[in-house]
Each structure stands twice: as structure tokens, then as C-alpha cells.
């Protein structure tokens, strides 16, 4: 039993790799579905799906602490999706993404 408890305690730090991702959405009447992903400790991603009937242009601003914000843009046709990723020079503790979408 002691060995089992020690093994479980040793694995606990491995389960804490994910970091919180906060998304501030400004969709402006568009039908965009948003899904976030943490990719390693220095990268983050957002997956956008256009569920509407018109083209949509989205801008995502990735902010990780004191680093310079990274801007990514995508234009999506109806029914299509876009993956926007950003890599940082420091480990991400909390990632903030400001998403703005407008009809094209």
C-alpha cells in the first residue's frame, strides 16, 4: 500500500501541465465556435469554426504576461475552420486571448 501511495504522489506533478486560457470574445453577430488548446508549456492555440452563412474575418491577440502580444488573423468561409497558434519565449502561466470577429 505504501508503494502504491508513493507512486500516485510521484505522478501528481505530471498531471498539472495544463494552464488556464481566458478568452474575451467580441463576435459582432457572427456565428463562430471557439475551442482552446494548450500545446506544451510555451505554446497556445485557438480553433475557430464558422457556423454562419457568410465569410468571417477574425483577429486573435495572444497575451502571456509581460511579453509582447502576438496577433494572428484568419478569414473563414461558411462551414470552415481555422487554427491560430502562438509560441512564446517564456513558459505560459495563464494565457489570455482577445478574439474579435467581423463579417467579411
Amino acid at each position: 500500500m505504501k508503494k502504491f501511495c508513493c507512486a500516485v504522489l510521484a505522478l501528481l506533478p505530471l498531471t498539472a501541465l495544463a494552464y488556464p486560457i481566458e478568452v474575451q470574445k467580441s463576435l459582432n453577430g457572427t456565428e463562430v465556435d471557439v475551442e482552446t488548446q494548450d500545446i506544451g508549456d510555451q505554446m497556445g492555440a485557438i480553433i475557430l469554426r464558422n457556423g454562419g452563412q457568410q465569410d468571417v474575418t477574425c483577429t486573435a491577440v495572444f497575451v502571456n504576461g509581460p511579453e509582447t502580444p502576438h496577433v494572428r488573423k484568419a478569414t473563414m468561409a461558411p462551414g470552415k475552420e481555422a487554427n491560430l497558434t502562438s509560441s512564446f519565449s517564456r513558459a505560459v502561466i495563464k494565457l489570455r486571448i482577445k478574439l474579435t470577429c467581423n463579417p467579411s
Side-chain angles (χ1 to χ4, degrees):
M1 185 65 175
K2 275 187 177 180
K3 288 181 183 180
F4 177 74
C5 289
C6 289
V8 170
L9 289 175
L11 291 175
L12 283 178
L14 296 176
T15 60
L17 293 177
Y19 50 83
I21 300 175
E22 183 179 292
V23 180
Q24 179 184 355
K25 300 177 202 173
S26 177
L27 300 180
N28 298 320
T30 60
E31 297 178 33
V32 176
D33 295 324
V34 178
E35 181 182 337
T36 59
Q37 290 183 333
D38 58 331
I39 307 171
D41 65 338
Q42 294 182 343
M43 287 187 75
I46 188 167
I47 300 170
L48 307 174
R49 291 181 189 87
N50 183 2
Q53 300 299 319
Q54 57 187 345
D55 289 355
V56 174
T57 301
C58 293
T59 303
V61 180
F62 292 79
V63 179
N64 177 34
E67 291 189 43
T68 304
H70 298 185
V71 179
R72 303 291 185 262
K73 296 180 182 180
T75 300
M76 298 170 290
K80 299 295 181 180
E81 70 177 39
N83 297 322
L84 305 177
T85 62
S86 185
S87 178
F88 298 97
S89 59
R90 298 179 183 193
V92 177
I93 296 173
K94 181 177 183 180
L95 181 60
R96 293 172 181 86
I97 302 173
K98 181 179 179 185
L99 179 66
T100 306
C101 295
N102 293 306
S104 293

